[in-house]
């Protein structure tokens, strides 16, 4: 159905369209007149026209620009000469002579533009008119020096600027002089001074001067809205914004520093006056962007006015809530139909800006509640604080006047929930409401100074509530479209237009952003809860167990498992460490308890199968395994290190049973080999080959059989573990062996393995044997290299390094080709 606006709104729209049409008609008429003049000039005979254009190809400027520069310079020089005459040569003439010279010169100069305009010398007329306006200023100065020297200078300047503004405006409106573009803007510039200077001269104080500034800005706004001349409108807009900015800044400062209701009310009156000017300009502004910006400014000024008045009568803690309530009150403008749409939108944006600033004020306290408990990491189990505020401010001070932060957060949440009721903005609104409600629940225990135990329960409840919200918001299920059957495609089955137009059941609503936000908020809340629990041993164990159970329970929801399941495993690992510490166990024994987490992760990943949560669960299980290895390594208990490595190998071997995790067998084999080496080192065995060779030989045989059955098997899989099981321990033993027998035998064995790998094009024997052979040779030659290095002069190593770099640079391309050949050669090996 066609919507007809109210008569008042329709009349306003018609007036706006008519003004736009008049402006466009005036522009087209002006353009037509210019075209007619140009055609007449082109058709007129020009016997004295120059044969070439005025601007030669090599010139850098045009003749009109040169003319304008010369005219401006001439006017400036004449003005300087007149000032010199007035200031220096004035005393050599009598009163009559002075008045006759300046008056006659001023009248002659002001009359000259009329004759110049008749001859078509517009630029010259503009320059001479500017000189005449400057002479009027000198006349005013001369009058003060001769007749009115006893008058106050500030008051005289105010009166003189008012008189000059009126004279210049009258001069600019004369029939012939109205073609000039300088007098009217100059009159408007002079009109900026009278009110302000009169306020200063009358000692009106800051309130009076501010009122004068705002009144001048209002006058400029009226001129900008009513005068059609472009130069005057631009000058008026500059004056309005400049004077208005100074006036608004002064009024805002007076409102903020007001010590009582009376001063606050006077400052509020000034701010409301500025807001009225902005609203009036926005109401009549054609451009939507400018109207919206002015409306935003008017809304902010209104909030500053009423908020400043309320602030003077309220405690300091309620300053921000007072401004917030005033900002929310601007939303009532949405229901006023008489206001233009740009004005209403601007007021809504101003309200949003006030609410945003209020939320920024709450951020320090939210940050303290979220990050303050981290300080308990350095004070583990040092004692329970008296209340939650003491717990979160262990290392940071409590912000001043922060008692109303929960009120601000709750009020903005309610406004956001009520304001966004349409389906387009509702998901984002719900997300914002959820964040604000979470922030309120996070800071409320500290603001109320509740007991420590109650604060822990409140944070745990907030975490559970966030998880419940994320679990309640399920992903929308979109069923696949079914193919129409033959019966459905028959003519009898085709729905009638009335049936097709009947309302259908709405599709399920999905809020993925809200669901993700709730999950993240649950994680964020659990962190300060876990850190706060470090104050006492029972609190730590209880909180970590509760968090493990909460996130484990949330993992039953498939859309939450990728986040909540790894989090539950992380808190389980922390619970294992805390349990070991509470029992008085050493780190190496606590590591055995931590290994229960990787076992649970492996079992859970096998149960999950190929889902989005599988990889996060496996990563979360691998990290506690690394933690267990680090705990045992820190204890320097080699038998326990070997045991933990072996258990990790068992866990990875169990993971490798799954068909999609076969490559994990490599990690399992490496862990078993590493555990063997650590065990040999723990037994302090001088001949590791007695234990490694019996393992290497069967491993190599098994690898050879596997390659015979499956020729595509990699040499790293077939021979790598067996060779490494002997070569690496033997290399470590050789480096610590002062005799030459072991290094010699190891070098010979490595050389044989290298040659076998090169002969059969096997990558693992070639690289392992070559690496061990190189390291063994370097170890044996190290003493001789050191002796040679000490015997050489100090300049030889830099010289050799320079020669090496020169050789590499000269044969750089050849070296690159050699490297590519080596890469291709190794890539072709098994």
């Amino acid at each position: 159905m066609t919507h007809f606006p109210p008569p008042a709104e329709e009349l306003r729209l018609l007036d706006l369209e008519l003004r736009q049409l008049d402006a466009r008609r005036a522009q087209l008429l002006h353009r037509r007149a210019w075209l007619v003049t140009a055609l007449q000039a082109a058709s007129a005979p020009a016997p004295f026209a120059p044969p070439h254009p005025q601007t030669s190809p090599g010139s850098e400027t045009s003749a009109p620009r040169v003319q304008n520069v010369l005219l401006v310079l001439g006017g400036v020089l004449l003005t300087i000469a007149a000032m010199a005459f007035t200031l220096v040569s004035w005393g050599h003439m009598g009163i009559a002579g002075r008045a006759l010279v300046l008056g006659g010169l001023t009248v002659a100069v002001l009359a000259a533009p009329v004759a110049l305009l008749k001859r078509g010398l517009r630029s010259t007329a503009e320059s001479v008119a500017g000189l005449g306006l400057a002479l009027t200023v000198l006349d005013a100065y001369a009058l003060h020096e001769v007749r009115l020297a006893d008058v106050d200078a500030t008051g005289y300047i105010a009166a003189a600027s008012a008189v000059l503004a009126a004279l210049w405006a009258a001069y600019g409106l004369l029939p012939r002089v109205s073609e000039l573009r300088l007098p009217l803007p100059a009159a408007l510039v002079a009109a900026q001074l009278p009110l302000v200077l009169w306020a200063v001269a009358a000692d009106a104080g800051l309130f009076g001067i501010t009122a004068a500034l705002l009144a001048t800005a209002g006058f400029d706004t009226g001129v900008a809205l009513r005068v059609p001349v472009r130069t005057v409108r631009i000058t008026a807009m500059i004056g309005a914004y400049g004077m208005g900015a100074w006036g608004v800044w002064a009024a805002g400062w007076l409102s903020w520093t007001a010590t009582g209701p009376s001063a606050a009310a006077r400052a509020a009156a000034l701010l409301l006056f500025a807001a009225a000017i902005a609203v009036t300009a926005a109401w009549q502004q054609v451009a939507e962007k400018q109207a919206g910006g002015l409306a935003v400014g008017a809304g902010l000024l209104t909030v500053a006015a009423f908020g400043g008045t309320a602030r003077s009568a309220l405690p300091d803690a309620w300053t921000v809530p007072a401004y917030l309530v005033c900002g929310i009150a601007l939303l009532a403008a949405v229901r006023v139909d008489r206001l233009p749409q740009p004005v209403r939108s601007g007021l809504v944006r101003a309200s949003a800006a006030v609410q945003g600033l209020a939320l920024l004020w709450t951020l320090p306290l939210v940050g303290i509640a979220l990050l303050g408990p981290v300080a308990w990491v350095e004070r583990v189990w040092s004692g329970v604080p008296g209340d939650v505020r003491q717990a979160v401010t262990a290392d940071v001070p409590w912000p001043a006047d922060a008692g109303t932060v929960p009120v601000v957060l709750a009020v903005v949440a309610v406004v956001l929930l009520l304001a966004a009721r349409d389906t387009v903005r509702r998901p984002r609104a719900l997300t914002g409401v959820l964040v604000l409600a979470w922030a309120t629940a996070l800071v409320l225990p500290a603001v109320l100074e509740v007991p420590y135990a109650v604060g822990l329960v409140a944070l745990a409840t907030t975490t559970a509530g966030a998880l419940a919200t994320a679990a309640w918001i399920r992903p929308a299920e979109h069923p696949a479209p079914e193919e129409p059957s033959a019966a459905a495609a028959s003519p009898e089955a085709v729905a009638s237009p009335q049936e097709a137009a009947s309302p259908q059941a709405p599709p399920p609503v999905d809020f993925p952003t809200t669901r993700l936000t709730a999950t993240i908020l649950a994680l964020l809340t659990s962190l300060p809860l876990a850190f706060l629990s470090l104050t006492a041993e029972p609190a730590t164990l209880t909180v970590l167990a509760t968090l493990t159970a909460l996130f484990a329970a949330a993992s039953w929801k498939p859309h939450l498992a990728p986040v909540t399941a790894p989090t539950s495993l992380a808190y389980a690992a922390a619970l294992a460490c805390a349990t070991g510490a509470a029992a008085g166990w050493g780190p190496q024994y606590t590591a055995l308890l931590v290994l229960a987490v990787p076992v649970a992760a492996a079992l859970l990943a096998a149960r999950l199968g190929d889902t989005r949560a599988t990889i996060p669960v496996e990563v979360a299980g691998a990290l506690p395994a690394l933690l267990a290895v680090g705990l045992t390594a820190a204890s320097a208990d080699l038998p326990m290190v070997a045991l933990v490595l072996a258990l990790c190998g068992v866990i990875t071997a169990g993971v490798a049973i799954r068909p999609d995790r076969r490559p994990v067998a490599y990690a399992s084999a490496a862990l078993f080999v590493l555990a063997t080496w650590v065990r040999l080192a723990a037994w302090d065995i001088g001949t590791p080959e007695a234990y490694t060779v019996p393992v290497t030989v069967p491993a190599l045989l098994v690898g050879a059989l596997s390659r015979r059955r499956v020729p595509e098997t990699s040499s790293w899989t077939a021979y790598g573990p067996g060779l490494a099981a002997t070569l690496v321990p033997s290399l470590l033993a050789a480096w610590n062996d002062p005799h030459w027998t072991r290094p010699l035998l190891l070098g010979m064995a490595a050389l044989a393995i290298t040659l076998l790998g090169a002969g059969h094009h096997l990558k693992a024997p070639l690289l392992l044997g070559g690496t061990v052979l190189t390291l063994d040779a370097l170890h044996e030659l190290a003493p001789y290299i050191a002796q040679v290095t000490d015997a050489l002069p100090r300049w030889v190593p830099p010289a050799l390094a320079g020669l090496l770099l020169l050789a590499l640079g000269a044969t750089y391309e050849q070296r690159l080709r050699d490297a590519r050949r080596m890469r291709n050669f190794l890539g072709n090996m098994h």
Side-chain angles (χ1 to χ4, degrees):
M1 296 177 64
T2 305
H3 172 69
F4 293 98
E9 181 68 16
E10 186 176 2
L11 178 62
R12 189 189 66 81
L13 293 176
L14 290 176
D15 292 340
L16 178 62
E17 293 291 341
L18 290 174
R19 284 199 298 270
Q20 292 179 348
L21 290 175
D22 292 340
R24 181 60 178 168
R25 184 174 183 276
Q27 182 181 3
L28 293 176
L29 289 175
H30 179 74
R31 179 66 178 174
R32 181 182 180 280
W34 183 86
L35 291 174
V36 170
T37 304
L39 291 175
Q40 292 176 353
S43 60
F48 300 102
H52 299 286
Q54 297 180 357
T55 303
S56 61
S59 61
E60 296 181 354
T61 184
S62 60
R65 292 184 179 180
V66 175
Q67 179 187 14
N68 292 334
V69 171
L70 294 177
L71 290 174
V72 171
L73 290 177
V76 170
L77 292 176
L78 287 176
T79 304
I80 294 174
M83 293 174 61
F85 169 77
T86 304
L87 299 175
V88 178
S89 302
W90 188 259
H92 301 289
M93 302 180 64
I95 296 176
R98 302 171 191 175
L100 182 62
V101 170
L102 268 182
L105 182 61
T106 302
V107 171
V109 171
L110 291 176
V114 178
L116 293 174
L117 288 173
K118 289 181 180 179
R119 295 179 176 270
L121 301 176
R122 183 186 181 89
S123 300
T124 307
E126 294 280 0
S127 179
V128 173
L131 176 61
L133 299 180
L135 287 176
T136 57
V137 177
L138 294 178
D139 289 337
Y141 170 76
L143 180 61
H144 178 268
E145 292 296 323
V146 174
R147 292 293 185 185
L148 304 174
D150 298 334
V151 178
D152 178 60
T154 305
Y156 179 78
I157 295 175
S161 59
V163 173
L164 290 176
L167 291 176
W168 292 352
Y171 176 71
L173 294 176
L174 292 176
R176 293 295 302 175
V177 185
S178 60
E179 300 179 14
L180 298 176
R181 291 176 292 182
L182 182 61
L184 291 179
L188 190 58
V189 171
Q192 309 300 307
L193 301 177
L195 290 179
V196 179
L197 293 180
W198 272 330
V200 174
D203 198 12
L206 291 178
F207 287 95
I209 296 174
T210 304
L213 287 170
L214 294 176
T216 305
F219 169 75
D220 293 334
T221 303
V223 172
L225 292 175
R226 296 299 179 186
V227 178
V229 183
R230 185 170 180 270
T231 55
V232 178
R233 292 188 63 184
I234 293 176
T235 307
M237 290 175 63
I238 295 174
Y241 282 113
M243 291 293 184
W246 280 105
V248 166
W249 179 85
W253 184 78
L254 290 173
S255 176
W256 186 256
T257 57
T259 56
S262 175
R266 286 185 292 168
L270 295 175
L271 290 171
L272 290 176
F273 178 48
I277 296 173
V279 167
T280 304
W283 198 306
Q284 301 185 11
Q285 191 62 252
V286 177
E288 184 175 354
K289 291 184 178 180
Q290 296 180 0
L294 291 171
V296 170
L300 295 177
L301 290 173
T302 305
V303 172
F306 290 104
T309 305
R311 181 193 62 83
S312 63
L314 293 174
D316 292 340
W318 291 93
T319 298
V320 175
Y323 283 102
L324 177 61
V325 171
C326 297
I328 294 172
L330 292 177
L331 296 176
V334 179
R335 307 242 178 221
V336 181
D337 296 332
R338 295 185 59 187
L339 290 176
Q341 181 60 35
V343 176
R344 284 185 285 176
S345 301
L347 293 178
V348 171
R349 286 196 292 269
S351 176
V354 173
Q355 296 178 57
L357 292 174
L359 292 180
L360 285 178
W361 174 74
T362 65
L363 287 182
L365 186 59
V366 175
I368 289 176
L370 193 61
L371 302 177
V374 179
W376 289 98
V377 173
E378 300 177 354
R379 310 172 185 179
V380 177
W381 299 346
S382 59
V384 178
D387 53 49
V388 178
R389 181 180 294 186
Q390 295 179 7
V392 299
T393 56
D395 282 345
V396 293
W398 181 259
D401 302 328
T404 55
V405 167
V407 177
V408 171
L409 293 170
V411 169
V412 176
V414 172
V415 171
L416 187 59
L417 184 61
L418 296 177
R421 296 179 179 177
D422 55 339
T423 21
V424 178
R425 298 180 181 177
R426 189 166 182 81
R428 288 181 291 179
L430 289 178
T431 303
V433 170
L434 181 62
V435 173
L436 293 174
W438 166 80
T440 305
L442 184 67
V443 302
L444 191 59
V447 171
L448 298 179
E449 298 183 74
V450 300
Y452 172 74
V454 177
L456 293 182
V457 174
L459 289 178
T461 305
T462 304
T463 305
L467 288 175
T469 304
W472 177 69
I473 305 175
R474 298 180 179 179
E477 298 179 357
H478 302 282
E482 299 180 357
E483 296 183 1
S485 61
S490 62
E492 293 79 5
V494 177
S496 63
Q498 290 80 9
E499 294 174 352
S502 61
Q504 303 292 331
V509 181
D510 186 16
F511 302 112
T513 305
T514 307
R515 182 175 61 251
L516 177 61
T517 303
T519 308
I520 294 175
L521 294 179
L523 293 177
L524 290 178
T525 312
S526 66
L527 292 176
L529 175 59
F531 286 123
L532 279 179
S533 67
L534 297 178
T535 58
E537 179 181 320
T540 303
L541 298 177
T542 304
V543 167
L544 291 178
T546 303
L547 291 176
T548 303
L550 279 176
F551 284 98
S555 301
W556 287 99
K557 297 293 182 180
H559 59 280
L560 298 181
V563 178
T564 56
T567 306
S568 177
L569 293 173
Y571 281 121
L575 177 62
C577 294
T579 303
W585 295 353
Q588 66 274 24
Y589 302 107
T590 303
L592 298 177
L593 189 59
V594 173
L595 284 179
V597 178
V599 173
L603 296 176
L604 179 59
R607 179 181 177 84
L608 291 173
D610 188 12
T611 62
R612 292 189 301 121
T614 303
I615 294 179
V617 167
E618 291 175 342
V619 173
L623 294 178
L626 294 177
L627 175 62
V629 174
L631 289 174
T632 53
S635 64
D637 190 348
L638 294 183
M640 289 299 298
V641 174
L643 177 60
V644 170
L645 290 173
L647 292 176
C648 291
V650 172
I651 297 172
T652 52
V655 173
I657 296 176
R658 294 161 50 192
D660 57 338
R661 293 294 184 266
R662 298 297 190 203
V664 182
Y666 298 122
S668 178
L671 288 171
F672 280 127
V673 171
L674 187 59
T676 304
W677 294 344
V678 175
R679 173 56 67 179
L680 293 176
W683 286 339
D684 196 16
I685 294 179
T687 309
E689 293 81 5
Y691 299 90
T692 58
V693 171
V695 177
T696 297
V697 173
L700 294 177
L701 292 176
V702 172
L705 291 175
S706 64
R707 276 187 57 81
R708 179 175 296 182
R709 292 180 180 179
V710 184
E712 292 80 10
T713 305
S714 172
S715 62
W716 288 106
T717 305
Y719 305 117
L723 292 175
T726 296
L727 289 178
V728 175
S730 298
L731 179 63
L732 296 177
W735 275 54
N736 296 323
D737 194 345
H739 304 288
W740 58 272
T741 308
R742 184 190 299 275
L744 177 61
L745 295 176
L746 178 61
M748 294 175 62
L751 178 60
I753 293 172
T754 304
L755 295 177
L756 287 174
H760 293 82
H761 293 80
L762 297 176
K763 189 182 298 184
L766 177 63
L767 294 181
L768 286 176
T771 302
V772 172
L773 179 61
T774 302
L775 294 176
D776 185 63
L778 288 176
H779 176 264
E780 294 303 312
L781 295 177
Y784 303 103
I785 295 174
Q787 292 178 5
V788 172
T789 304
D790 293 338
L792 290 176
R794 295 185 179 272
W795 57 269
V796 173
L800 293 177
L803 292 175
L804 177 62
L805 292 177
L806 288 176
L808 290 176
T811 61
Y812 181 71
E813 296 295 334
Q814 182 64 33
R815 299 288 79 78
L816 287 179
R817 287 193 291 270
D818 294 342
R820 294 191 188 99
R821 292 195 191 98
M822 178 61 68
R823 183 185 62 186
N824 295 333
F825 175 73
L826 293 176
N828 293 329
M829 290 185 174
H830 293 284

